[in-house]
Structure formats: structure tokens, C-alpha cells
Amino acid sequence: MKNFEMLMPTTMKDAVESLPEERTNPLSAQATRILAGGQDLLPEMKDHLAEPDVVVNLKGVDELSGSVRNPGSEASILGTGRIHIGALTSIAALASNAEIREEYGVLSKSAESIATPQIRTQATIGGNLCQRPRCWYYRNEDTVCLKRGGDECFSYAGLNKYNAILGGGPSYIVHPSDLATALLAIGATVVTTQRALDLSEFFTLPSESDPTRENVLEPNEVIETVLLDSSLGASNGWKSTYIKFMERESFDFAISAVALMLKFDGDKISEARLCLGGVAPIPWRCESTEKLLVGRTIDDKLCEEAGEDALRGAEPLEFNEYKIPLTKSLIAKALKELA
Amino acid sequence: MSPNPIAQPEWKKRADMKVLNTDLRRVDGEAKATGRAVYSHDVRLPNMLYAKFLRCPHPAAKVVDLDLGPVSAVSGAIHALAIESEETSFLGQPVAAVAAESLEAAEDAIRAIRVEYETSGWAVTEEQGLDPATPSIGRRGNSFVDRETGDLDEASAAVASADVMVESTYTVPVQHHCCLETHGLVVDFDGKRAKVWASTQHVTGVSQQVAGELSISTSDVEVITDYMGGGFGAKFGIGIEGQTACRFAKELKRPIHLMLDRADEFLFSGNRSGGRQILKAGANMDGRIVGMTAEIWRHGGIARGSNPGQPYIYSVESSHMQMGSVHTNTDANRAMRAPGHPQASFAIEGIVDELAYALGMDLLDFRMRNLEDPVYHRQLDRVAKEVGWYEHGYRAEPNRSRGGKNVGIGFGISVWGGGGRPVCVTSVRIDPDGSVTASTGSQDLGTGTRTYVGAIAAEEFGLKASQVIGRVGHSAYGPANGSGGSTTVASLAPAVKDAAHKAREQFAERLASWLECSAEQVRFEGGEVYSTAEPGKRLSWAEACSILGSRPIEASGEFQGHLQTQGVHGAQAAMVEVDTQTGALKVLKMVGIQDCGLPLNRLAIRSQINGGMIEALGYALFEERVIEPWLGYALSANFNDYKLPGCKEMPELVAIIDDDDDRQQVIGMAEPTIIPGHSAIANAVHNACGVRVYDLPLTPDKILMGLTKKA
Ligand SMILES: Cc1cc2nc3c(=O)[nH]c(=O)nc-3n(C[C@H](O)[C@H](O)[C@H](O)COP(=O)(O)OP(=O)(O)OC[C@H]3O[C@@H](n4cnc5c(N)ncnc54)[C@H](O)[C@@H]3O)c2cc1C
Ligand code: SF4
């Protein structure tokens, strides 16, 4: 690991001021980096994928919270009644929060599925959303692919068993965050030091802008809070689940994951939200499938149609075709679980 | 009085044993679990330097320029050495090394070294190795055949005329040892004498090799391996790390700590060779395999690879085998727990299943018809009962139903030698304060050597296991063989028994006058000493020892051939569940039975069976070295991408010691327990859903694609 200076700001103002205004490309070359739980940044530094001169540790920033709060009817410019999750909230705290479990089972389940108990205790929600890809070319210091500022995606014609089948190109990473998939389904909002962003606007496809980044954060923009849309909770009649498929159950990143939220009118689906993880460079919302589900009763036929529809645009690479039948099966399992 | 003729040491009858052949908890378990145990990694000496390697990032390259100069500018860096300055022949080969005041400074120094490489062609796959355009890797060319048995025409004719015939190609990847403690050592050399802490499977060998490197005599090298974190066959020699540590120690006159990092471990400290096996086999309606041809290609990187050959344990009327190697520019394979055998097992157990299904015959019954040794019949029957085979619905055809989760069962068998050899010299000492020590230079790889060394002496003196201190892993405790081929116990236990036996005879002699009897009448039982002439008059062990005054008893022991033998058998069964919608594989249960002659520590033996099954489970489910075939990058040189099973992958494990084996001699048994588990799992997957995966590991993508095709 390269030597670095660690700053311990106590106010958000100081934290933001110590960060650069301009983004250096690629991100790995950024001379100043934000540190939260360190579960991704430190391994990246040890592997020399990131070599910052300055690390800004957020743990001492007063305004940043490490807990889940429900301000209830308390007035707030951001709206009332939403659950606020401080950016420093650990994944373990998120997984064990009773209110979230009650309201947003999909989020608890996704949090529980992450890594190991040790890592969950250290890792934060903010860091989880901003973690870098796991593509094994990217993670190898010797390869300088598109993501690291090179000019080729090695996965595309390489060993791409774990890569994207949807939304890929020119980089074919899959976004590694489990929380992202669940939070997108819940319609979460990311509040930063500069703006409030719907999660669907937070992530960016490699084809949309710059393949070396995964989200739209500016270099001096810090996530403060994640807000959950209260109209999409269990108390408003929503049922939800998260199914994650891993090669190794003990701990692994998703090969494919399904976050599903349904509202019923009798046995008919009245509203639906379906997001996929582990299959695209961003958490992948399936809006047409959501429409297809509305008004229908869950049966084998619907399960099949939903899977077909969600994976219609899938373009497998040489070694990841299996993700198509796999994801279809996971969608069917999720639907049956909520039926 | 004429001296008693020394009686031969003999193991007690099993029924008479109080310590041996029981469940003994390992004596050093607590030290290990609490972190008190000091491993080579943990050694810190005053003035010590840390050394580290620079690896070549290409499979093969000419070293055009190696500039160590920039190292001097790194704060804390002390010295740099060129290891290979002309040409590298495998991915990750060390080209230079540095020694520095801290590990961090060593890492910075490594990164400061400038190397210019020129790559021209290389091979990391079999196909590339066979490509005539690939530059020569080995001295014998990039591929060669070095073993042929049987008559090809005869065997082919036998296959062709059989009632059913199958032909399949089985492939296994390269597996890593994954020792928790990486390779390495600490060398403290003052110019005359050296003290070395080594993570090794051969303490005696390390003293000889270090002496050679430092140009001193072996007696001036003290080697300590108090604890070590696993070897599995990869830690016999001192390796490049030992040579380099010695070079630094000699030049710098400071203690050197050189332990490999995890990537080093994956890239240049050995592995289990991969391979490809093309088997054709024919069987008749009576359930006999009548013919087989086998073409075997070992993938040992720059080394030869290993495979014991086919038809392995099964008897085939007419068979032919041709075995060869294909070189690639990857790390040389080394011995790894039962070298070659798991590879052979995977192919043969697969083809045996395929033949049985082709005949529509019970898989177990078919196996027995082709196994001559009755031990396998009883062992297979035992594991079959334990796993629920006789109640299983799919014994002669796989379950082909789709949509749910299917359960399947599979089998595999193993064979091993496990005999000892005359190397170890041990000692047993009884002190007047009542303490007893049994010492050996042999290392404890984690198998429980320390525990049984003490236990053998405890049994001899009628003491509890905890009353004897077993001392291992020090060159001063006498020569011992390398722990390979499961030879440790059969080499060492007889020598410890011999020393304990002699110590007991000496002690009896000394006590005889006190007890007013002859030495033969002295008995050591239940922590007491008495004479058969007057059993009512007893001395406690402490009282008896105090009689020794200022003259402790010390006896030395040597290998006693009659106390050991060789030849063991094993059988395993696996029960799995396959989700036919996703390809998810869950191993529900594994059952392993193993014979081992006289069991010394039953708990340790069951642990070895469990460990073997778990290691085979990893080979079955995940383990695979991945090297990018087009660019030559190492993609799995870390524990994220090289997956090992974790707690959630653990099935119910049933470890059975085959007590029908009544041989009264000790035999090593640790290696064979890893041989058949993955084969049983692969067969169980097929039994569960009709999908046969011909190339390990059995990842869900392969199972699912198989299921989609068969649907
Ligand atoms: C072995 C292992 C297994 C894993 N398995 C999974 C898994 O199954 N599923 C999964 O989702 N994840 C998994 N992870 C990833 C892990 O969850 C993330 O690394 C972790 O959540 C990152 O959070 P952190 O607080 O430690 O972030 P850090 O490592 O401190 O930071 C990560 C990144 O986020 C940035 N950052 C952090 N906080 C903020 C903020 N408030 N505002 C702006 N930028 C910020 C940092 O600059 C850095 O780039 C695994 C990790 C490991 C090591
Ligand atoms: S998928 Fe992305 S990270 Fe992986 S090799 Fe391609 S560009 Fe690099």
C-alpha cells in the first residue's frame, strides 16, 4: 500500500473542502479518496488499484449518522415519514433493524446476504453503494482495462462467466452491490452534500458516460443519507423479497439476484417493482415486466412470461449464457414466494 | 544376576489399551485456538529484516533489463538481489528479492525495481502447449508420453466387442494447497551457526539444506517447527524462499524473515496438477468391465504432473493406458495430498457409473463386480447403508425429473500405502519429579503427531495422555523423515514405542529391588506401579519416579518394522441435492470409511477423514486455478476468486474407522481420505438430475446448462 495522509474532519464542510472539485480519470488515480468502513477502499489500496495521497475519513464527521431513524411526522424538506438511513450505517445494523425488517423485507434480506458477519459490521451503506466492481480483470493490477483507463474491455472476449448479460458495453461489469438492487426496488433516494438523487439516477451505465465510473457522484460529493419511500412499505400493503444466487453460499457476490415488491388486490397483482442484480453494470429495473405483472394472478404461466420479458434484451457473452435461465428461475421463485 | 534379554516391543491388544485407540483431544488445540502457538510467521527477532519477492507478470519472458538501483532510494530498504536475470519460464516466477526494515518497506522496494521484459510466445493451456509455434518449455519438448501399459489392439478389441461401450473425456483443473500459513522461514545466522524457524514438512531436510546454502555443517543448524499451518505436500524443500533467505542472511548478517504472501503462494509454491483423461470402456451384461483404453495427459506446468494411471483400483480384463504430460508456462506441480489419485479417481469413478447406467445395473452392485478386494465390498456396503442407498429410488438410472430439487447419491473408493521407513530416532525420558517427555524431530503438520507421541509413552507407563509431554519439531530431537505419503505415523510411532518400551524396561529394572521382585514382575497401571508378586503394595507414579534419585531414565528408540505395515482402503458416498431450476448444488451428506490398521488416536483419524472429505468437497464445488488463456494473467491468485468452501457448504459428515480391519500394526491413512469425495459428489449430481459434468469444478453454470440441454 502506498503511504498516504489521513484526514479526520469533524464537520461536513471540512470534509468536502478537503476533497477535489475536479474528477481525475480514472477514479483509481484520484489523489484524494473518501474512507468509510474501508472494506473496499483498503483492499483496493493494498492491491494498488487505488493509490491516493490523501484519505478523508468520514467516521468523525458530526453531521453524518451511522443509524437508521424514522422522524415520523417530523417536518423535513425531504418529506415526512420516510426512513432515514445515515450513510455510515453499517450493513449489520441495517440487517438487524426491526423497522426495516417489518417494512422492507427486501432490504433486510439483501443486507443479510452480503459478505461475512465481520465485513457487515465494518461496511457502511454509503460505501456499499460506491464500491468498485469485482471483475477479475479490473481487480488484477497488471491488467489495465477500460475501467482502469485503458482502452479495451478484456472481459468482452475473455473469461466472462461472471459478467453482464444486460446493459453491457463498452465495459461489461456487473454492479456488485446487493443493497443497490433492493434500494432501487424500494425507490430509495440518495441525499448527498449537493443534491437529492433518485437511486435510478445515481448509477450510470458505461455506455452513458465514462466507463471508469459507476455512479454520478462528483469527487467532492458525499452521500449523507439514504431515504426510503414510505409509500412502498409493508404498512401500505407491499410484500417484498430478495433472492440472491451465489456460487458459494458462505459468502459471495451475486451471480444473479432478484428484488421483487408486489401489492395485491385480492389474488391479483395491483402494483409491482422488479429489479435485478448481478446481471448488469447497474442495478437493473424491469419496468415492462412490472407492467406485465399488474392485473395478473401468480401461476406458472405468469412466472414464465415474466422471466421471458425481463430477460428479453439479454445478450450473453461466450461464458455467461447460463445467467439467462438462472435469472428467469429466480424471478419465478420470487413470484411464487410472494404469491 | 544376568541381564534380562530385552523383549521385543509389541502393541497391546486393542481391548487392553487405555490411551491409544481412544478419542484423544489434541494437546496443542488450546494453544492454537487462542493464538498462543508461535508459528514461523510469528517469529520476531531483534534486528530482523523482512524479505519479499518480485514476480514476473508474464508466463514467459526474456529479462532484457533488471535494474535494482531504485531500491536504494526507498526508505528502509536494505538490499536487493537478482534471482532470475535472463529468462523466466512460468507465470509469477520470482525475478528479484529485497530485504528491508519492515514488510511495508520491502513491498515499496519491490515496486521500485525496474524490469524490462520481452515476451515472445508462451502457453498456459494444453492447447497452447501443443501448438508447434510455442517455444520449448521443457527439455523433453512441450509434450511427451512416458508411460504405456497393456496392449492397445487387444484392449480396443475388448471394448468394441463388449455389450455396452462408453467413451468420455474427463478434465480436472489445477488445485492449490491453500495452507493457512504460507511457505517461508526465518533464518538467524551469525556466520557460524544458524537458527531457523521453518514452516516445513521436513525438519531434518531443512537443516541439511540450510547447512548447504550457508556452507556450514548440519550440526550447526538448529531448525524449529513448533507449529505449522499446513503443508499438504507443498513444503518439503526450503524452496526459492529458503535459498533467498539464506543468501540475505549470509550477506547481511541479520536475521531474515521471508514468508510468502498469498499471491506468491498461489503462483510459485506448487499445486495439484490438472489433466485430461480420455477413457473408452466396455462392459458385458454380466456386469464385468471387459476392456478399457485410457489416454492421460497431465498438466503439471513446467513439471510433469501426476496420475497413478488407469483403470486405477478396478479390475478390467483387458486394458491399455498411455500417459503423457503437456507443459505450460505455469508453476510446477508438487506433491499434494495423495498426488495424482483424486485426478485418476474422478475419471474412473465417472466411467464406472456411465457403464453401470448403460447396463441399467445398480451402481453399487456394478462396482463390487469389478473390485476383487473384499475389503471394498464391506466398505462400500457400509457407506451405502449409512447414506441411505438401499432406500434410494434411483439406483440404476438417474432421476430425470425437472422443476424441483432432486436428491442423488454417488460413490468412490481409494487406495494407499501408508507404510513407514527406518529414519526416526526418538527419545523418552522419565525424570525423578515424575515428568515424562517423548521427543522427536518430526514435525506436526496439524495431523496430531504431538498428541500421539505423548500418548504412546503414556500407554506404556499406564499414565494418562496428559501426563506425558510430547515434544516435536526440533532438529535437536533426532532425525525424522519428511511427512509425505502418509508415512509419518508408521515411521515414527514404532520408534516412539521402541523408546518407551526400553524406558519402561529400564525403569522396571531399577524398581525391582525396591519392590522386592524381578523386573518382569513390575507392572505400570493406572498411574501406579506394583509387583505381580504383591499387588497390594503399590507406589504412585510420583513415588516410583522419586526413587530415581539423580539418575533419570532416558531411552532412545528406532524404527521397528514389525510394529507397522502398509496398504489401506477407503470408500466414500455423497448425497447431494440439485435445484433443477437454477443448477444450485448442495452436498447434504458425505460418508467416509477408512481402514488404518491399529488406530492410535480415533478422534484424530476421524478428523483426517472429515478433512479429506472437506478438501475433496472444495475440489468438487469451486477450486480451480484460472489463468487468462489469451493474455496470460493470473485471475485467481487470491481467496476471493479462488473459492474455498465455507461453513455453509459443510454437509453432514460421517467419518467411520473400519474396525473390521484387525491388523495390529500402525498404518498412515490421511492421504487416501481426499481421493474419492469429489468423484462421489460428481456421480451424485448425475444421479440426481442426469447431468454429468466432465470437467471439475461442478459449478452451477455447468449443471444448469446441462439441465437446459436435457430438458
Ligand atoms: C470478501 C468480501 C465479500 C463481499 N461481498 C459482498 C456482497 O456479497 N454483496 C455486496 O453488496 N457487497 C459485498 N462486499 C463489498 C462490501 O459490502 C463493500 O466493500 C462495503 O459495503 C463498502 O463499504 P465501506 O463502508 O467499507 O466502504 P469503503 O471501503 O470505505 O468505501 C468504498 C467506496 O465508497 C466511497 N464512499 C464511502 N462512503 C461514501 C460516502 N458517504 N459518500 C461518497 N462516497 C463514499 C469510498 O470513497 C470508496 O470508493 C464484499 C466485500 C468483501 C471484502
Ligand atoms: S468488464 Fe469492465 S472491468 Fe471488466 S475487463 Fe471489461 S472494462 Fe474492465
Side-chain angles (χ1 to χ4, degrees):
Chain A
M1 189 186 290
K2 201 181 84 175
N3 283 341
F4 59 91
E5 186 190 353
M6 184 153 87
L7 303 182
M8 300 280 285
T10 52
T11 66
M12 189 56 98
K13 185 165 167 291
D14 285 352
V16 170
E17 276 171 9
S18 59
L19 291 163
E21 280 178 32
E22 296 290 314
R23 188 172 194 273
T24 324
N25 260 345
L27 180 57
S28 46
Q30 199 87 359
T32 306
R33 292 288 295 270
I34 297 170
L35 175 75
Q39 296 307 292
D40 193 34
L41 188 61
L42 292 185
E44 281 223 304
M45 287 167 66
K46 285 185 187 167
D47 290 344
H48 297 273
L49 304 176
E51 296 196 306
D53 300 314
V54 179
V55 168
V56 181
N57 189 337
L58 295 181
K59 286 267 159 116
V61 174
D62 276 346
E63 294 96 319
L64 276 180
S65 137
S67 62
V68 178
R69 239 161 16 95
N70 187 350
S73 58
E74 191 182 301
S76 139
I77 46 158
L78 299 162
T80 54
R82 299 195 198 180
I83 291 183
H84 292 217
I85 306 170
L88 294 181
T89 306
S90 74
I91 296 176
L94 198 59
S96 62
N97 185 282
E99 190 173 0
I100 289 183
R101 185 168 299 273
E102 193 91 335
E103 281 293 297
Y104 306 101
V106 61
L107 185 56
S108 300
K109 283 192 174 170
S110 103
E112 264 166 14
S113 79
I114 292 171
T116 62
Q118 293 94 325
I119 292 171
R120 289 198 292 274
T121 305
Q122 263 314 105
T124 67
I125 184 171
N128 186 272
L129 294 176
C130 300
Q131 63 176 302
R132 306 300 323 271
R134 304 306 304 195
C135 174
W136 50 12
Y137 290 93
Y138 168 77
R139 292 273 164 177
N140 183 324
E141 193 198 345
D142 298 328
T143 70
V144 181
C145 68
L146 211 51
K147 185 64 67 196
R148 297 251 307 279
D151 40 36
E152 200 186 330
C153 169
F154 300 124
S155 283
Y156 178 64
L159 297 180
N160 45 39
K161 169 182 172 187
Y162 299 113
N163 291 82
I165 50 170
L166 288 161
S171 162
Y172 288 83
I173 63 145
V174 294
H175 202 282
S177 167
D178 282 297
L179 295 182
T181 313
L183 288 169
L184 182 65
I186 302 173
T189 304
V190 174
V191 182
T192 74
T193 43
Q194 299 185 9
R195 53 192 155 159
L197 282 162
D198 191 277
L199 202 65
S200 60
E201 302 158 349
F202 179 80
F203 293 105
T204 163
L205 280 171
S207 57
E208 281 170 354
S209 57
D210 169 359
T212 73
R213 65 204 295 186
E214 295 86 42
N215 60 54
V216 300
L217 286 184
E218 295 299 329
N220 60 350
E221 188 173 6
V222 180
I223 298 180
E224 293 180 314
T225 318
V226 175
L227 301 179
L228 305 184
D229 186 341
S230 55
S231 66
L232 293 169
S235 46
N236 276 315
W238 285 86
K239 290 168 93 173
S240 71
T241 192
Y242 186 76
I243 299 184
K244 173 177 176 182
F245 190 85
M246 293 171 262
E247 234 170 31
R248 170 180 56 188
E249 285 286 318
S250 292
F251 71 94
D252 216 342
F253 290 89
I255 282 187
S256 174
V258 173
L260 178 67
M261 302 184 53
L262 297 177
K263 215 170 158 172
F264 288 89
D265 185 0
D267 61 356
K268 285 204 171 63
I269 297 170
S270 59
E271 280 181 76
R273 296 178 69 92
L274 173 65
C275 298
L276 306 178
V279 290
I282 56 172
W284 193 257
R285 177 125 183 239
C286 306
E287 282 176 271
S288 78
T289 316
E290 292 171 358
K291 292 201 187 88
L292 179 150
L293 291 170
V294 172
R296 304 278 299 269
T297 316
I298 298 173
D299 55 15
D300 287 344
K301 184 157 173 292
L302 183 67
C303 289
E304 205 179 310
E305 280 177 45
E308 285 297 328
D309 187 79
L311 276 301
R312 182 155 295 133
E315 286 179 22
L317 301 166
E318 190 176 353
F319 302 106
N320 64 6
E321 195 189 336
Y322 72 99
K323 285 194 176 191
I324 297 177
L326 172 62
T327 309
K328 287 179 182 172
S329 296
L330 298 184
I331 292 173
K333 279 179 192 284
L335 282 166
K336 286 189 175 147
E337 190 187 319
L338 297 187
Chain B
M1 201 170 83
S2 68
N4 285 311
I6 302 275
Q8 284 249 41
E10 293 296 346
W11 298 113
K12 283 184 196 160
K13 286 203 200 73
R14 294 186 194 193
D16 296 339
M17 285 181 159
K18 297 279 189 304
V19 180
L20 299 177
N21 195 30
T22 68
D23 280 359
L24 297 171
R25 283 171 51 180
R26 62 180 66 221
V27 291
D28 46 12
E30 197 187 311
K32 288 178 173 180
T34 56
R36 238 186 329 109
V38 175
Y39 291 78
S40 302
H41 252 276
D42 304 323
V43 173
R44 298 290 180 272
L45 303 174
N47 214 23
M48 187 173 83
L49 296 175
Y50 293 82
K52 220 172 154 51
F53 287 111
L54 174 68
R55 298 182 303 264
C56 175
H58 308 289
K62 282 211 167 48
V63 181
V64 180
D65 187 39
L66 176 61
D67 181 8
L68 303 175
V71 167
S72 56
V74 176
S75 128
I78 300 294
H79 191 49
L81 291 172
I83 307 273
E84 176 56 68
S85 44
E86 288 181 8
E87 217 173 359
T88 65
S89 58
F90 67 93
L91 179 61
Q93 184 176 340
V95 288
V98 299
E101 300 287 354
S102 68
L103 204 50
E104 291 75 16
E107 200 197 307
D108 290 347
I110 279 298
R111 299 178 68 82
I113 296 172
R114 291 287 143 244
V115 199
E116 195 187 319
Y117 294 106
E118 195 180 283
T119 58
S120 49
W122 42 253
V124 296
T125 64
E126 180 184 325
E127 217 180 0
Q128 292 166 345
L130 293 172
D131 186 339
T134 302
S136 172
I137 299 164
R139 253 172 284 138
R140 309 174 58 175
N142 290 354
S143 88
F144 57 86
V145 170
D146 60 352
R147 230 176 110 192
E148 193 166 351
T149 55
D151 184 303
L152 179 59
D153 293 338
E154 209 177 89
S156 304
V159 174
S161 63
D163 292 338
V164 295
M165 188 276 228
V166 288
E167 175 176 358
S168 297
T169 301
Y170 287 87
T171 315
V172 289
V174 165
Q175 184 187 24
H176 292 287
H177 299 77
C178 300
C179 306
L180 281 190
E181 184 181 39
T182 57
H183 285 66
L185 63 183
V186 177
V187 180
D188 186 9
F189 179 50
D190 64 7
K192 291 197 186 73
R193 297 177 56 85
K195 195 164 174 179
V196 177
W197 289 260
S199 184
T200 182
Q201 298 181 228
H202 195 192
V203 166
T204 305
V206 169
S207 34
Q208 289 157 356
Q209 289 179 46
V210 166
E213 294 294 327
L214 297 175
S215 314
I216 54 178
S217 80
T218 307
S219 57
D220 285 329
V221 182
E222 185 183 347
V223 178
I224 299 166
T225 305
D226 221 358
Y227 294 96
M228 72 167 299
F232 300 105
K235 291 183 180 166
F236 287 108
I238 58 169
I240 185 76
E241 59 280 7
Q243 294 161 4
T244 307
C246 288
R247 271 179 78 182
F248 278 130
K250 221 161 138 176
E251 288 186 31
L252 303 175
K253 305 264 181 322
R254 289 177 65 176
I256 303 297
H257 185 284
L258 203 179
M259 304 297 300
L260 301 191
D261 67 24
R262 193 49 70 181
D264 294 339
E265 193 72 11
F266 277 117
L267 291 167
F268 66 83
S269 71
N271 53 63
R272 178 188 295 293
S273 60
R276 193 165 57 94
Q277 302 172 71
I278 305 128
L279 264 55
K280 276 186 217 170
N284 282 347
M285 296 312 286
D286 65 357
R288 292 279 305 161
I289 307 174
V290 291
M292 182 177 296
T293 63
E295 182 188 331
I296 301 173
W297 295 103
R298 297 161 300 194
H299 302 161
I302 56 169
R304 186 186 294 247
S306 59
N307 189 308
Q310 300 294 6
Y312 196 39
I313 307 169
Y314 290 88
S315 35
V316 173
E317 275 163 34
S318 171
S319 71
H320 172 265
M321 177 193 73
Q322 176 196 296
M323 175 141 64
S325 298
V326 181
H327 285 311
T328 54
N329 296 105
T330 57
D331 187 17
N333 74 287
R334 291 189 191 173
M336 179 168 170
R337 201 170 185 176
H341 285 242
Q343 294 95 313
S345 165
F346 180 58
I348 191 75
E349 298 291 357
I351 209 94
V352 163
D353 255 31
E354 290 191 78
L355 287 169
Y357 286 122
L359 289 169
M361 196 174 265
D362 181 295
L363 302 177
L364 196 72
D365 185 27
F366 182 73
R367 274 188 169 67
M368 298 204 193
R369 283 174 201 236
N370 294 286
L371 287 167
E372 276 160 21
D373 193 332
V375 174
Y376 289 117
H377 294 224
R378 88 170 175 240
Q379 291 190 337
L380 278 168
D381 179 58
R382 180 74 193 275
V383 295
K385 280 192 185 113
E386 197 70 40
V387 82
W389 177 251
Y390 299 115
E391 297 80 50
H392 185 55
Y394 295 89
R395 300 205 293 275
E397 57 171 347
N399 182 348
R400 295 194 191 276
S401 69
R402 294 289 181 266
K405 291 180 178 174
N406 297 359
V407 171
I409 292 175
F411 298 95
I413 54 170
S414 67
V415 66
W416 202 250
R421 46 183 86 138
V423 184
C424 299
V425 178
T426 64
S427 66
V428 167
R429 180 181 161 115
I430 305 169
D431 274 295
D433 66 357
S435 61
V436 185
T437 43
S439 308
T440 169
S442 182
Q443 49 290 324
D444 187 341
L445 268 66
T447 50
T449 308
R450 197 190 306 266
T451 306
Y452 72 69
V453 163
I456 291 170
E459 182 73 63
E460 193 76 24
F461 305 130
L463 298 173
K464 293 197 187 96
S466 58
Q467 287 176 277
V468 179
I469 298 166
R471 298 195 304 177
V472 303
H474 198 298
S475 51
Y477 300 158
N481 58 323
S483 293
S486 297
T487 58
T488 310
V489 75
S491 303
L492 178 59
V496 178
K497 168 76 187 174
D498 185 41
H501 172 81
K502 286 180 184 149
R504 182 175 53 81
E505 296 215 324
Q506 283 181 35
F507 200 6
E509 199 74 49
R510 300 259 300 267
L511 290 171
S513 56
W514 244 86
L515 292 167
E516 294 167 329
C517 64
S518 72
E520 293 82 72
Q521 288 173 307
V522 179
R523 293 289 177 273
F524 298 87
E525 267 173 36
E528 291 176 328
V529 185
Y530 66 92
S531 154
T532 49
E534 203 179 341
K537 185 178 160 197
R538 291 181 183 232
L539 293 172
S540 72
W541 175 259
E543 283 163 353
C545 292
S546 68
I547 293 163
L548 294 172
S550 59
R551 282 177 34 228
I553 302 251
E554 189 145 23
S556 143
E558 284 178 24
F559 181 68
Q560 299 294 321
H562 68 286
L563 296 178
Q564 57 81 52
T565 185
Q566 61 173 329
V568 289
H569 318 68
Q572 292 180 14
M575 179 191 267
V576 307
E577 178 188 87
V578 174
D579 184 331
T580 59
Q581 292 182 340
T582 61
L585 164 60
K586 191 159 180 49
V587 182
L588 302 174
K589 185 170 183 175
M590 288 180 84
V591 182
I593 187 167
Q594 182 64 49
D595 62 8
C596 61
L598 175 68
L600 295 181
N601 178 356
R602 299 183 70 85
L603 182 59
I605 291 169
R606 291 201 307 278
S607 289
Q608 286 298 323
I609 300 175
N610 285 336
M613 290 195 285
I614 292 169
E615 220 170 332
L617 175 111
Y619 193 39
L621 300 185
F622 313 118
E623 291 181 55
E624 175 178 25
R625 179 186 70 191
V626 182
I627 295 178
E628 222 288 353
W630 303 282
L631 303 165
Y633 295 126
L635 295 181
S636 63
N638 61 67
F639 275 138
N640 189 58
D641 297 306
Y642 187 89
K643 292 179 189 174
L644 288 177
C647 51
K648 288 193 187 164
E649 278 66 51
M650 288 309 118
E652 178 190 350
L653 293 167
V654 182
I656 305 168
I657 300 173
D658 185 355
D659 283 311
D660 286 329
D661 174 15
D662 56 8
R663 288 174 287 181
Q664 267 297 94
Q665 293 130 314
V666 172
I667 320 174
M669 51 62 67
E671 278 169 279
T673 60
I674 201 188
I675 296 171
H678 57 289
S679 312
I681 293 171
N683 282 343
V685 167
H686 181 270
N687 183 249
C689 65
V691 174
R692 187 163 292 280
V693 177
Y694 291 94
D695 53 331
L696 289 180
L698 304 155
T699 45
D701 56 322
K702 296 177 191 167
I703 299 173
L704 184 57
M705 290 314 276
L707 284 163
T708 351
K709 271 186 219 112
K710 300 257 151 121

